[in-house]
Each structure stands twice: as C-alpha cells, then as structure tokens.
Amino acid sequence: MKLIFLGPPGAGKGTLAAKASPLFNAPHISTGNIFREAIAAGSPLGNKVKSIIDAGKLVDDATTIELIRERLAQNDVKNAYILDGFPRTIAQADALAGFSKVDTVINFDVPDNIVIERLSGRLVCRKCGFNWHKNFNPPKDGKTCDKCGGEIYTREDDKSEAVKKRLEVYREQTAPLIEYYRAKGLLVDIEAGSQVDITLENLKKALSCK
Ligand code: AMP
C-alpha cells in the first residue's frame, strides 16, 4: 500500500507512521527526518537546508522533489511506503504523480490548540529520533532517552516563532492538498486529536475497509 500522511505539524504523522510502518510492511519515509539527518551529518544538503528548517519555512520544491524521486526509485519501496511530510505543496504533489501512483492519502485532522500544545512540549531524541513530550510522555530524567540513552532536545523549529511560521505555511501551502486529493477520490479523513493509539486503531479500520 502506497500512502501519504497529510496533516499539520503536530498531528502525530511521524509517530503514527513509525507505528504503522511494520503493520503495513511499508517503509516510513520522512522528508523532515532525512533533512535533520543531513544537518546532523553536516552534508552539503544539510548545510543548505538548516537555516530554512530552523525558521519553520519550506525547503524549495526542486530539492525536495529530487530527494523523494531518488528515494522512491529504491527497491524496498516498490510496492509500499508511507510518505510523512511529503508532498507539502501542490507542485510537489504534481511532481509525485509523475513518478509514483499513490493508493490512499490520510488526512489527520487536529484542532489548532492541540497542535500548539503538542509542539510546544515536544522533546526529541538526538540518537533514535523518538518523540517524547514534557507533560504527556516525559523521559524519566528529562534529559536522556529511555529507549536508547540518547540526548533529548527541543527542535529549533518547535520554538514559538517557528511554530507560528510552520502553521502559517501549512495553512497557505499544504492544506490545499486536502481538496486536491479529495477531488481525486484518494482522501480519507481521520480525527487525530486524541491519543495516538486511538488514532492508530482508526487508521487500521479505515485502511482495512479500502
Ligand atoms: P517535519 O519533520 O515533517 O515537520 O519537517 C521539518 C521541516 O523540514 C519542515 O518544517 C520543512 O522546513 C522541511 N520539510 C520537510 N518536508 C518538506 C517538504 N515536503 N517540502 C519542503 N520542506 C520540507
């Protein structure tokens, strides 16, 4: 199954994709994670995108499309994948349609107040990428990941100015994809304001009916 996970920042797309990936035997492809790994490695791509990402803006379409075009040419995603964070613009969606046929687009619907609450408390492990939360799911000592012992940090783009910018960018550039994919008959709406395991159950039900 070839899936796109759509939704605002803080909808839980990354967490849900990580949980759904083994269930559907579909590799999880997150453009945000690919960019963050490139930044951590200090690669030319990482150097190019760091200040854009830290400010909560979008990386340019040409760079992002090329990244996904190359990733989707690999063997492990011939029959299935979960795209998390791509496409984020109509131009990216048009480009994707030219090199891959998506089966279903999930739109994770979350009210703004929950998005802000989730993002402002999010903590990320530098080593394994797991998402913790200051209030809802804190690591035991607040500083190290209980899963792998990695260092916990707050993403630069989860700080308040960048969060505001990301929500604005989402509304202007990414939200139009909801109607874009609805018009193609590919969209499934899922309420994602409750706990992640409830959303995952709703996702499984929705996809088993497809
Ligand atoms: P995410 O982890 O999905 O929230 O992505 C983090 C950041 O990476 C975004 O705020 C953008 O700066 C950049 N990014 C991720 N995916 C895309 C994309 N499809 N197009 C442009 N920029 C992206």
Side-chain angles (χ1 to χ4, degrees):
M1 202 160 10
K2 297 181 175 175
L3 302 173
I4 291 173
F5 280 10
L6 204 61
K13 299 185 298 292
T15 307
L16 285 158
K19 286 180 183 261
S21 168
L23 300 177
F24 302 131
N25 213 355
H28 171 197
I29 302 174
S30 155
T31 35
N33 284 350
I34 296 172
F35 288 139
R36 279 185 290 278
E37 280 162 19
I39 292 169
S43 72
L45 173 67
N47 295 336
K48 177 169 153 186
V49 301
K50 181 175 183 337
S51 61
I52 300 170
I53 291 182
D54 284 352
K57 297 179 185 162
L58 290 187
V59 175
D60 67 279
D61 283 336
T63 302
T64 313
I65 289 165
E66 203 39 45
L67 193 79
I68 288 294
R69 192 198 302 275
E70 281 174 17
R71 180 65 186 88
L72 293 188
Q74 290 169 18
N75 255 337
D76 64 322
V77 290
K78 247 193 195 146
N79 302 316
Y81 55 69
I82 300 174
L83 286 182
D84 155 22
F86 183 95
R88 260 177 157 99
T89 64
I90 298 279
Q92 291 178 13
D94 283 342
L96 175 65
F99 55 81
S100 191
K101 190 174 173 304
V102 171
D103 298 308
T104 303
V105 179
I106 309 290
N107 175 38
F108 293 104
D109 201 14
V110 188
D112 273 8
N113 61 323
I114 293 185
V115 160
I116 290 166
E117 193 179 36
R118 284 184 184 166
L119 293 180
S120 58
R122 179 158 67 181
L123 300 167
V124 185
C125 172
R126 231 180 251 292
K127 201 164 147 200
C128 72
F130 188 80
N131 284 352
W132 298 91
H133 193 281
K134 272 183 202 155
N135 308 322
F136 308 141
N137 186 24
K140 279 199 195 86
D141 70 357
K143 290 183 296 208
T144 39
C145 179
D146 295 342
K147 290 191 181 290
C148 75
E151 183 201 356
I152 297 295
Y153 75 111
T154 295
R155 275 168 50 172
E156 201 54 43
D157 61 346
D158 279 345
K159 297 183 179 163
S160 76
E161 271 314 295
V163 165
K164 259 207 264 170
K165 183 73 195 166
R166 286 162 70 203
L167 288 175
E168 188 185 303
V169 166
Y170 171 76
R171 280 188 206 106
E172 283 171 11
Q173 304 203 53
T174 308
L177 291 175
I178 297 172
E179 294 315 317
Y180 173 102
Y181 283 120
R182 201 187 303 282
K184 293 184 190 296
L186 295 177
L187 200 82
V188 173
D189 291 295
I190 295 204
E191 196 280 316
S194 27
Q195 283 175 1
V196 68
D197 286 335
I198 297 176
T199 310
L200 184 65
E201 283 311 309
N202 290 338
L203 173 69
K204 285 197 284 191
K205 271 185 224 146
L207 289 175
S208 67
C209 299
K210 290 289 289 181

